[in-house]
Amino acid sequence: AESRMEALRAQMNPHFIFNSLNSINRYIVRNDVITSSLYLTRFAKLIRSVLDNSRHKVISLSKELDALRMYMDMEAFRFEKKFEYNLQVSKDIDTEGIEVPPLIIQPYVENAIWHGLLHKEEEGRLDIVVTAENGMLRIDIIDNGIGREKASEFKSRNAPTRESAGLMLTGERIRLATGDQGTPDPEIIDLYEENGNPAGTQVIIRIPMDMPLT
């Protein structure tokens, strides 16, 4: 399992870096030197954090959330406030004492932004809520995007609909990291308005508070 975790981490970082590099492309082709420089500076800081974190089997929740904030700031900056985000951590959560596998939340946040919020005509909203639940660390990722059914229509125009590599790898990493503790797979819930129209998506990740890989 440890060898498989090493292999999955090696795959995750190139996937993340590739998607982040795409965020720089528009400014370069537009010859926007100032914005390109600012974005590259932020990108370098984020990548350094990601690469430093990836050297460890687990990192503090605090470091994981710091990297997540940097990623969301970059995407909000690139898409010119197409969405706003809110990160809320329960007061009873010790972010320095709790450890999680690195880059475990970001793929689900990326999916919410790219496939849910960016296709929305009006400004979107992304909420990340971290709480404790029955000895588990619970992370809710809630977006008010266009929903999975509509998102799959956009994706099918360019390629067959399939789960992103990042989500598949992350689900596998959670299963490997938690061993035989009976940790459930990430839960994905379709949200609807009272009239039945799609109202976004909610992802729930549950991770044991006492990670076995420390």
Side-chain angles (χ1 to χ4, degrees):
E2 188 169 324
S3 297
R4 291 176 67 193
M5 282 291 288
E6 291 288 348
L8 289 170
R9 277 199 299 272
Q11 293 179 66
M12 177 61 68
N13 288 331
H15 170 79
F16 173 71
I17 293 171
F18 174 80
N19 282 290
S20 297
L21 283 170
N22 282 336
S23 299
I24 300 173
N25 183 61
R26 180 169 57 172
Y27 296 118
I28 293 177
V29 299
R30 282 168 50 182
N31 252 349
D32 189 339
V33 177
I34 295 177
T35 306
S36 296
S37 177
L38 176 60
Y39 198 94
L40 281 168
T41 299
R42 293 184 177 185
F43 175 73
K45 183 178 179 180
L46 174 59
I47 292 304
R48 178 172 181 175
S49 172
V50 169
L51 294 178
D52 285 346
N53 291 343
S54 69
R55 295 167 50 211
H56 306 282
K57 297 173 185 176
V58 290
I59 59 172
S60 69
L61 178 60
S62 175
K63 289 184 178 180
E64 173 75 357
L65 295 179
D66 284 345
L68 185 64
R69 286 189 189 92
M70 284 190 279
Y71 169 76
M72 292 189 291
D73 282 341
M74 286 177 58
E75 292 294 64
F77 178 73
R78 179 209 171 193
F79 293 110
E80 299 174 350
K81 300 299 180 180
K82 180 70 176 177
F83 69 93
E84 62 177 16
Y85 75 85
N86 177 59
L87 177 56
Q88 180 180 342
V89 182
S90 177
K91 293 181 179 179
D92 60 345
I93 297 293
D94 179 10
T95 58
E96 294 293 339
I98 295 174
E99 295 182 316
V100 298
L103 213 66
I104 208 74
I105 308 172
Q106 184 273 337
Y108 294 97
V109 170
E110 177 184 296
N111 195 64
I113 295 172
W114 282 71
H115 301 303
L117 297 175
L118 294 186
H119 295 298
K120 190 178 176 69
E121 292 184 4
E122 61 270 23
E123 183 179 84
R125 180 175 177 83
L126 179 63
D127 291 293
I128 294 90
V129 183
V130 183
T131 56
E133 179 187 73
N134 300 324
M136 294 274 188
L137 181 69
R138 172 171 169 160
I139 304 160
D140 287 73
I141 302 159
I142 308 164
D143 70 76
N144 68 342
I146 61 174
R148 287 195 293 171
E149 183 177 349
K150 193 69 176 178
S152 67
E153 294 177 12
F154 280 98
K155 287 190 285 186
S156 64
R157 295 176 187 176
N158 302 312
T161 302
R162 55 186 172 85
E163 189 178 15
S164 73
L167 297 188
M168 289 189 292
L169 288 170
T170 303
E172 180 71 2
R173 291 176 67 215
I174 292 174
R175 287 189 290 273
L176 289 173
T178 55
D180 59 357
Q181 297 191 37
T183 304
D185 289 337
E187 183 180 355
I188 303 177
I189 302 170
D190 297 308
L191 305 177
Y192 296 94
E193 298 174 348
E194 291 184 0
N195 59 11
N197 290 332
T201 307
Q202 177 179 3
V203 176
I204 304 174
I205 303 171
R206 294 179 177 89
I207 305 173
M209 292 278 197
D210 52 343
M211 291 298 300
L213 294 179
T214 307

